[in-house]
Amino acid sequence: MNKQLVSHTTKKLFRQLKKYTKKFAKNTAAEDIHRYRVIYKELRARLRMIGSLNIFADKPIVSKHLKSTYKICGAIRDLQLQQQRIKQSSKQELRILKSYLHLLKIKLMQLKAALTENVEIKKTPVTNNRAAEILSDKHFVRQCIHYEQQQWASVCTIIQSGYFTDDKLHSIRKILKDFFYNLDCCNRKQKKKIFHLLNIAKDEAYFNK
């Protein structure tokens, strides 16, 4: 992990989101919807980490426009997955669900129109590029590792409590996703160091008993 790599990968994520929003003006293919959401979540994880370093007076965030596009994409993705599952049903079940499939189709058309409108009304900016311009802090890597340690400690605290509500499980999933997204900024040696600091090897040994 280094400042230049984080800067480069963060800018790349912004560019990828911009590329997909341009595509949505003409097409809303299921794979493009899925890829947009994955990239958005990776960018959000990166900005959370950068925001924790106290480099900026205001924490860098994803623009409201990108966020609204992400929400619409999420609604479309949910309905697309429902369609896939229903189409895998038996012929008898399909006859029963025919009217529901029709409603899904109408709702999808409405959401796709909203997505196209959202993209066309306001061209998606490459927002908060200042978040990628972190080129001066000599303790940057140490701070990033400290952030990951804090995140992992939060996961361990929840697990040790044995109190697994839906909110707690959601928090674990969110932290783990952020953790692995941000590992893309690390080389093999740095990943090994982080895993060692977090005692992940011990955790794996425990759960593989």
Side-chain angles (χ1 to χ4, degrees):
M1 182 186 294
N2 59 59
K3 296 180 288 294
Q4 287 76 15
L5 180 58
V6 173
S7 174
H8 171 73
T9 55
T10 304
K11 288 179 180 178
K12 182 180 178 181
L13 292 170
F14 276 118
R15 288 196 301 269
Q16 288 177 325
L17 288 182
K18 189 174 183 179
K19 179 188 77 173
Y20 279 106
T21 53
K22 286 182 178 179
K23 292 179 72 172
F24 293 154
K26 299 178 180 179
N27 183 32
T28 52
E31 183 58 29
D32 288 341
I33 294 289
H34 173 62
R35 284 299 305 154
Y36 180 93
R37 285 173 49 75
V38 171
I39 295 166
Y40 178 94
K41 286 184 279 191
E42 186 173 352
L43 175 63
R44 185 175 60 188
R46 191 68 42 76
L47 295 184
R48 280 181 185 142
M49 180 180 72
I50 294 172
S52 74
L53 308 183
N54 298 318
I55 295 174
F56 306 108
D58 299 318
K59 290 187 178 181
I61 57 174
V62 181
S63 73
K64 290 182 179 179
H65 184 243
L66 285 177
K67 189 173 183 179
S68 66
T69 303
Y70 169 76
K71 286 185 176 180
I72 297 173
C73 284
I76 292 174
R77 179 69 176 162
D78 287 342
L79 295 185
Q80 287 174 335
L81 291 175
Q82 283 188 51
Q83 282 184 322
Q84 289 177 18
R85 294 188 187 104
I86 291 172
K87 289 175 181 178
Q88 293 169 357
S89 305
S90 66
K91 290 183 179 180
Q92 183 177 355
E93 291 172 323
L94 281 175
R95 283 195 295 270
I96 298 171
L97 295 169
K98 190 174 180 180
S99 60
Y100 180 64
L101 273 171
H102 180 66
L103 290 173
L104 275 183
K105 186 176 180 180
I106 293 173
K107 184 62 177 176
L108 266 172
M109 290 174 62
Q110 293 172 342
L111 285 169
K112 287 178 179 180
L115 178 60
T116 301
E117 183 181 0
N118 189 58
V119 172
E120 289 180 341
I121 287 177
K122 182 178 180 182
K123 298 299 181 182
T124 307
V126 182
T127 311
N128 266 317
N129 252 353
R130 67 197 181 101
E133 304 297 340
I134 38 181
L135 304 172
S136 60
D137 190 348
K138 66 179 182 179
H139 301 301
F140 175 75
V141 175
R142 188 183 303 170
Q143 287 179 305
C144 288
I145 292 176
H146 178 65
Y147 168 78
E148 298 292 7
Q149 286 179 300
Q150 287 181 316
Q151 294 294 85
W152 190 254
S154 298
V155 171
C156 292
T157 299
I158 295 172
I159 293 173
Q160 291 169 1
S161 73
Y163 188 56
F164 301 119
T165 62
D166 287 344
D167 287 344
K168 295 292 185 182
L169 292 173
H170 176 71
S171 294
I172 291 175
R173 289 181 69 246
K174 184 175 73 173
I175 291 170
L176 291 179
K177 281 184 178 181
D178 280 12
F179 176 78
F180 286 105
Y181 281 140
N182 285 324
L183 280 181
D184 286 344
C185 294
C186 304
N187 58 37
R188 183 180 297 180
K189 184 177 180 180
Q190 289 166 341
K191 287 178 182 178
K192 186 175 181 180
K193 181 179 180 181
I194 290 174
F195 287 145
H196 174 73
L197 288 171
L198 300 181
N199 289 317
I200 288 180
K202 293 181 181 178
D203 295 331
E204 288 178 346
Y206 175 80
F207 287 111
N208 289 329
K209 287 180 180 178

